[in-house]
C-alpha cells in the first residue's frame, strides 16, 4: 500500500510506537520554534532538564507576540529568552523581525523535515512540505533536549483542488470553504493533505495560508507536496539547496477525500464568533464596518501585501473605518518599501503597525464598543480582540480592502478589475535580526538574565486513587483556550507569572471562578465537545493546576490541550454517554475511588455525592501518559529518567 506525504515523513522520523491510526507514535523532531508568549515558560522548563545545548538540527526563539513592551514585564522576558538562546544553542529572532511562522517559512522551513512549535499555527510550515505541528511549551522543551514528540497516529484526509481561482477569490477563501465544510471539529485526529491540479497555481505563501488555518479545523496538521512551486520559492529565498521533492504515492489510501472546484468558489467570510461560521461575503454585504486589520500569520506575505497595496493605490479609505496593516516580516516590509508599494498603502490612510502579531492577539487595536472588525486573521473567538462585545469577521486581504474603501462589507469583485501583481524573482535576504548562539566554549560564560516578572511555575502531584472535590465550573461546547486563559495586552505580559494570571482564568465565562476554585482547594471542571480548542498555550493547563484543578471531564478534547493537561498532571476524562453531561451541576460534590487504577484500565466511575448517582467515564491513556500522570506531570516524569 502506498503512503501519503505525512506517512512518509512520519515513517522517516519514527522513534517509537506504531503507525496504526489511533496508536501513539513518537517522532524525532528536526526543528523547533517558540514565540515569546509561550517561550518564557518553555525555556524555564528546558532549564530544569539540565541539558547543556539543544539537540535539534535547528531551534529558533522568536519574539513576536508581546512586542508592546508596556512596563518591564515583556522586556524582562525577552532578555531572558535572548540569554537562554545564546547559552543553549538557539537562534534568536529579535522583536520586529516578524511573526514566527512567516519568518520560519521564509528562512528556515525545509520540505520533509519535522517541526514542532509552541504555537498552534506551526502547521504553516506544511505549506513548504514540512510535518509541522503545534505543541505545548513543555513538549517543545523536551524536543529541544532531543526527546521524541508523541502524537496519536492521525487519520489521513485529502483535499483535491481542481479548476482555477477567479480574480478576487484567494487562498484564504479556500481556508474558509474547508472550515465551512468540515467545521472547527472536522479535522480532529487527522492530517489534511492538499493536492490535485489546482495546487499548481498556489505559491508557497498561499499554501501556507491554507495550512495555517487548518489549525482551526482541529487537525493535527496540514501539508502540501514539495514540488516545482516549492523549489521556486526556496530559490527566491536563496535556499535552493534546501529543496527536496516530496509527494504521496499514487496508491496512497485516505480516510476521507474532499473535492473543491476552485473555479466555482466565491469570496467567503467567517462571522462572529467562530472561524467555521462561514457564508458568502455577498450574504452579509452592506453591514457597516468600523475597523479593518490586515496581517497575522495567515495573511501577511509579500504577495498579500502587494495585492493590498495595488488595490489601495490612488484611493482613500472610508472616513468611518480605521485600517491597520501589519506586514509579516522585516523582509516583507523592506520589499514593500523598496518597491514603492508602502507609499501607496500609507497614502490611502492606513496605519502601518509593527511586523508582529499585534491586533490578532489583542495587543492593541481593539475595536470600539460593539464595533464590527474585518480581519484577515484566523480566529474570531469572543473577546479575543480585546473588546468583549466586538464583532470580528475573518476575510481575505481583498475583502478586507473592499470594506476599508467602502465602509461596509463588500464583495471584492465589486472593486472592478483586479490589478496585476508581479512578484520579484528573488526576495531580499537579510538575516541580521536573527542572532546566532554562542559557541559551546563561550556558552558556559553566558549569564541567564532574569527579571522580577519571572515567577516559579506550579507543579502537579501524583494522581491518587481516592479523590474528592467540588465541581467548580461547568462550561459548554467549543471552549477555547482564549476562554480558559485569555490573552490581550493586559494579561499577556504575565505569561511567566502564573499567580498573577490566575486572577483572569475563565474571565470570559465566569469571572468568579478563580476565587471559587481557590476556596475549594482541589476541584474538577466539566466541559462539552472540543474542550480546549485554539491556542497551544500551556497556561490553559498550568493556571487551572495552580488553582487546584486536578481533573477535567468533557465530551471531547482538542489535541494540544489534552496533551497539555496530561503534561501538567491534570487528568482529562470523557463521558462514556455524552448525555451524562446534563446530570452534573456546578457546585456538586464529586469523588472517585479508583482514579489511579483507572489510568491503567481506562475505565473510571465518578460518584456525584450531591445527587447520589454514578457516572461511567473513559480515559484511554498510553503507558507513557499513564506514567506521566502517576508521576504528577511530564517534568516529574522526565526527572525520574524512565
Ligand atoms: C494564538 O494565536 O492564540 C497564539 C497567541 O498565537 C497562541 C499561542 C499563545 O497563546 O501564546 C497559539 O495559537 O498557540
Ligand atoms: Fe500571532 Fe495571531 Fe498567528 Fe497566533 S494566530 S501566531 S497571535 S499572528
Amino acid at each position: 500500500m502506498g503512503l501519503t506525504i505525512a506517512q512518509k515523513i512520519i515513517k522517516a522520523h519514527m522513534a517509537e510506537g506504531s503507525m496504526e491510526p489511533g496508536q501513539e507514535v513518537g517522532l524525532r523532531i528536526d526543528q523547533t520554534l517558540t514565540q515569546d508568549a509561550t517561550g518564557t515558560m518553555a525555556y524555564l522548563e528546558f532549564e530544569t532538564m539540565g541539558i547543556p545545548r539543544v539537540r535539534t538540527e535547528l531551534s529558533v526563539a522568536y519574539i513576536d507576540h508581546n512586542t508592546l513592551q508596556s512596563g518591564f514585564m515583556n522586556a524582562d522576558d525577552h532578555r531572558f529568552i535572548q540569554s537562554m538562546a545564546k547559552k543553549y544553542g538557539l537562534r534568536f529572532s529579535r522583536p520586529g523581525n516578524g511573526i514566527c511562522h512567516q519568518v520560519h517559512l521564509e528562512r528556515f522551513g525545509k520540505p520533509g523535515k519535522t517541526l514542532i512549535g509552541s504555537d498552534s499555527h506551526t502547521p504553516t510550515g506544511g505549506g513548504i512540505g514540512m510535518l509541522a505541528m503545534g505543541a505545548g511549551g513543555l513538549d517543545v522543551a523536551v524536543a529541544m533536549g532531543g526527546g521524541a514528540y508523541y502524537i496519536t497516529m492521525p487519520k489521513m484526509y485529502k483535499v483535491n483542488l481542481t479548476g482555477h481561482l477567479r480574480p478576487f477569490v484567494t487562498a484564504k477563501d479556500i481556508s474558509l470553504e474547508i472550515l465551512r465544510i468540515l467545521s472547527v471539529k472536522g479535522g480532529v485526529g487527522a492530517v489534511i493533505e492538499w493536492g490535485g491540479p489546482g495546487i499548481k497555481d498556489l505559491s508557497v505563501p498561499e499554501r501556507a495560508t491554507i495550512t495555517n488555518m487548518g489549525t482551526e479545523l482541529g487537525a493535527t496538521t496540514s501539508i502540501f507536496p514539495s514540488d516545482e512551486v516549492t523549489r521556486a520559492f526556496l530559490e527566491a529565498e536563496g535556499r535552493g539547496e534546501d529543496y527536496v521533492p516530496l509527494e504521496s504515492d499514487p496508491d496512497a489510501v485516505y480516510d476521507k477525500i474532499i473535492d473543491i472546484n476552485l473555479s466555482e468558489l466565491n469570496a467567503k467570510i467567517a462571522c462572529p464568533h467562530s472561524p467555521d461560521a462561514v457564508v458568502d461575503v455577498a450574504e452579509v454585504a452592506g453591514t457597516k464596518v468600523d475597523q479593518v486589520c490586515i496581517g497575522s500569520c495567515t495573511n501577511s506575505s509579500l504577495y498579500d501585501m502587494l495585492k493590498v497595496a495595488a488595490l489601495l493605490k490612488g484611493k482613500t479609505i472610508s472616513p468611518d473605518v480605521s485600517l491597520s496593516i501589519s506586514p509579516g516580516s522585516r523582509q516583507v516590509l523592506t520589499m514593500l518599501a523598496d518597491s514603492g508599494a508602502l507609499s501607496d498603502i500609507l497614502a490611502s490612510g492606513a496605519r502601518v503597525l509593527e511586523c508582529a502579531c499585534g491586533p490578532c492577539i489583542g495587543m492593541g487595536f481593539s475595536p470600539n464598543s460593539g464595533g464590527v472588525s474585518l480581519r484577515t486573521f484566523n480566529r474570531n473567538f469572543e473577546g479575543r480582540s480585546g473588546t468583549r462585545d466586538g464583532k470580528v469577521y475573518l476575510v481575505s486581504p481583498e475583502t478586507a480592502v473592499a470594506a476599508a474603501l467602502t465602509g461596509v462589507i463588500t464583495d471584492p469583485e465589486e472593486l472592478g478589475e483586479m490589478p496585476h501583481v508581479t512578484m520579484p524573482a528573488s526576495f531580499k535576504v537579510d538575516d541580521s535580526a536573527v542572532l546566532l548562539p554562542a559557541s559551546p566554549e563561550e556558552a558556559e560564560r553566558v549569564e541567564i538574565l532574569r527579571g522580577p516578572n519571572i515567577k516559579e511555575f506550579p507543579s502537579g502531584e501524583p494522581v491518587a486513587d481516592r479523590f474528592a472535590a467540588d465541581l467548580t465550573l461547568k462550561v459548554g461546547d467549543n471552549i477555547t483556550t482564549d476562554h480558559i486563559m485569555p490573552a490581550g495586552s493586559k494579561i499577556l505580559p504575565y505569561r511567566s507569572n502564573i499567580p498573577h494570571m490566575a486572577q483572569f482564568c475563565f474571565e470570559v465565562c465566569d469571572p468568579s471562578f478563580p476565587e471559587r476554585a481557590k476556596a475549594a482547594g482541589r476541584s474538577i471542571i466539566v466541559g462539552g465537545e472540543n474542550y480546549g480548542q485554539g491556542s497551544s498555550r500551556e497556561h490553559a493547563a498550568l493556571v487551572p493546576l495552580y488553582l487546584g484543578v486536578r481533573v477535567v471531564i468533557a465530551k471531547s478534547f482538542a489535541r494540544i490541550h489534552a496533551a497539555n493537561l496530561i503534561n501538567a498532571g491534570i487528568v482529562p476524562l470523557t463521558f462514556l454517554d455524552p448525555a451524562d453531561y446534563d446530570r452534573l451541576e456546578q457546585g456538586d460534590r464529586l469523588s472517585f475511588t479508583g482514579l489511579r487504577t483507572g489510568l491503567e484500565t481506562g475505565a473510571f466511575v465518578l460518584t456525584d455525592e450531591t445527587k447520589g448517582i454514578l457516572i461511567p467515564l473513559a480515559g484511554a491513556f498510553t503507558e507513557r501518559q499513564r506514567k506521566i500522570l502517576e508521576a504528577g506531570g511530564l517534568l516529574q516524569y522526565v526527572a525520574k529518567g524512565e
Side-chain angles (χ1 to χ4, degrees):
M1 197 174 71
L3 297 179
T4 68
I5 302 173
Q7 285 166 341
K8 286 185 183 183
I9 303 181
I10 291 173
K11 195 169 168 201
H13 289 84
M14 281 259 295
E16 219 182 288
S18 129
M19 283 181 60
E20 218 26 56
Q23 297 295 307
E24 192 171 63
V25 53
L27 299 174
R28 272 183 298 102
I29 297 302
D30 301 320
Q31 300 189 348
T32 65
L33 68 81
T34 55
Q35 39 89 336
D36 48 334
T38 51
T40 315
M41 196 55 72
Y43 295 114
L44 286 169
E45 290 160 343
F46 179 76
E47 220 182 1
T48 66
M49 293 176 193
I51 292 166
R53 205 168 173 88
V54 291
R55 296 180 177 146
T56 48
E57 288 176 11
L58 174 91
S59 286
V60 190
Y62 291 91
I63 306 292
D64 55 359
H65 280 60
N66 288 338
T67 55
L68 274 187
Q69 299 182 326
S70 60
F72 62 91
M73 293 81 76
N74 296 160
D76 275 8
D77 285 7
H78 296 169
R79 262 177 17 131
F80 167 70
I81 295 175
Q82 182 168 349
S83 62
M84 283 295 292
K86 189 165 181 191
K87 189 173 182 75
Y88 290 101
L90 293 93
R91 298 194 195 199
F92 177 76
S93 173
R94 307 183 72 171
N97 192 44
I99 305 174
C100 56
H101 309 303
Q102 176 65 26
V103 177
H104 208 84
L105 192 74
E106 290 168 358
R107 306 302 310 137
F108 302 114
K110 289 188 191 179
K113 297 284 181 185
T114 50
L115 162 72
I116 65 167
S118 60
D119 191 281
S120 66
H121 289 102
T122 305
T124 313
I128 204 164
M130 304 188 90
L131 190 78
M133 292 163 290
L138 190 44
D139 280 324
V140 176
V142 169
M144 288 193 298
Y149 176 56
Y150 294 85
I151 55 168
T152 304
M153 183 64 199
K155 290 178 279 184
M156 300 289 145
Y157 292 178
K158 169 97 182 256
V159 186
N160 260 322
L161 298 181
T162 53
H164 301 279
L165 287 172
R166 293 179 305 111
F168 292 108
V169 186
T170 68
K172 180 60 163 283
D173 300 295
I174 305 176
S175 301
L176 294 172
E177 172 66 356
I178 192 73
L179 272 154
R180 188 189 67 76
I181 298 172
L182 287 178
S183 90
V184 291
K185 292 182 297 199
V188 171
V191 170
I192 302 184
E193 180 180 313
W194 292 77
I199 66 165
K200 295 282 169 237
D201 295 346
L202 298 173
S203 64
V204 165
E206 289 172 288
R207 294 173 177 190
T209 294
I210 294 173
T211 55
N212 172 284
M213 237 183 136
T215 298
E216 275 55 62
L217 298 163
T220 304
T221 190
S222 305
I223 193 162
F224 274 80
S226 171
D227 56 11
E228 286 309 309
V229 174
T230 322
R231 184 208 290 272
F233 176 80
L234 284 166
E235 279 172 358
E237 281 288 347
R239 307 199 280 127
E241 70 283 0
D242 289 342
Y243 174 72
V244 287
L246 189 62
E247 60 180 1
S248 53
D249 292 327
D251 55 345
V253 179
Y254 297 91
D255 299 274
K256 191 180 269 192
I257 297 182
I258 296 162
D259 294 303
I260 298 181
N261 181 349
L262 299 178
S263 311
E264 288 171 3
L265 206 63
N266 295 325
K268 302 274 175 208
I269 185 164
C271 301
H273 298 286
S274 181
D276 62 359
V278 173
V279 297
D280 282 355
V281 172
E283 279 181 48
V284 283
T287 309
K288 196 180 164 320
V289 173
D290 302 291
Q291 184 193 63
V292 174
C293 306
I294 301 178
S296 91
C297 55
T298 317
N299 277 123
S300 59
S301 67
L302 181 64
Y303 181 55
D304 280 335
M305 293 294 154
L306 287 175
K307 286 190 298 178
V308 166
L311 287 166
L312 288 173
K313 189 176 173 133
K315 299 186 181 139
T316 309
I317 59 169
S318 158
D320 298 329
V321 173
S322 172
L323 169 66
S324 77
I325 301 204
S326 326
S329 67
R330 235 161 48 102
Q331 180 181 81
V332 172
L333 180 56
T334 308
M335 293 184 74
L336 278 179
D338 290 355
S339 68
L342 185 61
S343 304
D344 298 331
I345 292 177
L346 289 170
S348 73
R351 286 173 61 181
V352 176
L353 307 184
E354 199 179 13
C355 304
C357 301
C360 179
I361 194 54
M363 272 298 191
F365 219 77
S366 300
N368 53 292
S369 312
V372 168
S373 178
L374 253 63
R375 302 177 159 211
T376 66
F377 307 166
N378 46 39
R379 289 184 174 148
N380 57 348
F381 305 144
E382 200 172 357
R384 180 176 162 102
S385 65
T387 302
R388 189 138 182 208
D389 59 359
K391 296 184 193 67
V392 176
Y393 292 76
L394 306 175
V395 294
S396 71
E398 281 78 342
T399 306
V401 172
L405 292 172
T406 60
V408 293
I409 297 179
T410 305
D411 191 318
E413 286 190 44
E414 287 179 23
L415 292 180
E417 189 118 328
M418 180 69 204
H420 183 70
V421 167
T422 330
M423 284 294 287
S426 61
F427 295 100
K428 187 162 182 181
V429 174
D430 169 12
D431 289 333
S432 57
V434 180
L435 307 182
L436 295 176
S439 67
E441 300 73 51
E442 285 164 1
E444 277 179 33
R445 291 190 297 276
V446 175
E447 192 198 337
I448 298 301
L449 306 171
R450 275 170 241 272
N453 191 40
I454 298 181
K455 297 271 186 288
E456 252 183 61
F457 52 90
S459 66
E461 50 204 12
V463 171
D465 231 15
R466 284 179 173 277
F467 179 70
D470 289 350
L471 197 179
T472 46
L473 186 73
K474 184 176 174 188
V475 287
D477 288 347
N478 291 322
I479 287 295
T480 71
T481 48
D482 277 279
H483 290 105
I484 306 172
M485 207 43 257
S489 57
K490 192 170 68 175
I491 310 176
L492 265 186
Y494 294 98
R495 279 290 179 90
S496 47
N497 185 343
I498 300 287
H500 184 89
M501 289 191 86
Q503 307 166 53
F504 306 99
C505 189
F506 280 104
E507 197 186 33
V508 193
C509 307
D510 181 351
S512 60
F513 169 71
E515 279 315 309
R516 195 163 58 245
K518 268 199 203 149
R522 296 277 177 275
S523 64
I524 297 178
I525 291 177
V526 168
E529 296 280 7
N530 203 19
Y531 180 87
Q533 69 158 324
S535 152
S536 66
R537 61 190 72 146
E538 60 189 333
H539 304 77
L542 291 176
V543 172
L545 175 73
Y546 171 81
L547 289 171
V549 176
R550 294 293 178 267
V551 176
V552 179
I553 306 168
K555 290 185 187 167
S556 65
F557 288 90
R559 179 185 72 90
I560 305 177
H561 188 59
N564 285 342
L565 287 173
I566 295 171
N567 287 350
I570 299 179
V571 188
L573 298 175
T574 51
F575 291 100
L576 262 189
D577 177 0
D580 283 336
Y581 167 88
D582 298 320
R583 302 170 75 195
L584 295 174
E585 247 175 291
Q586 196 162 301
D588 286 358
R589 182 75 184 165
L590 307 178
S591 66
F592 290 91
T593 41
L595 191 57
R596 193 179 173 98
T597 336
L599 298 177
E600 223 160 318
T601 61
F604 300 80
V605 179
L606 175 76
T607 307
D608 184 327
E609 294 177 2
T610 312
K611 303 231 164 56
I613 50 172
L614 299 178
I615 293 182
L617 301 172
F621 300 106
T622 63
E623 197 188 330
R624 188 187 65 90
Q625 291 170 330
R626 172 173 65 76
K627 286 188 178 158
I628 293 174
L629 287 168
E630 284 174 356
L634 182 57
L635 274 181
Q636 289 85 330
Y637 170 68
V638 171
K640 282 171 98 182
E642 284 186 42

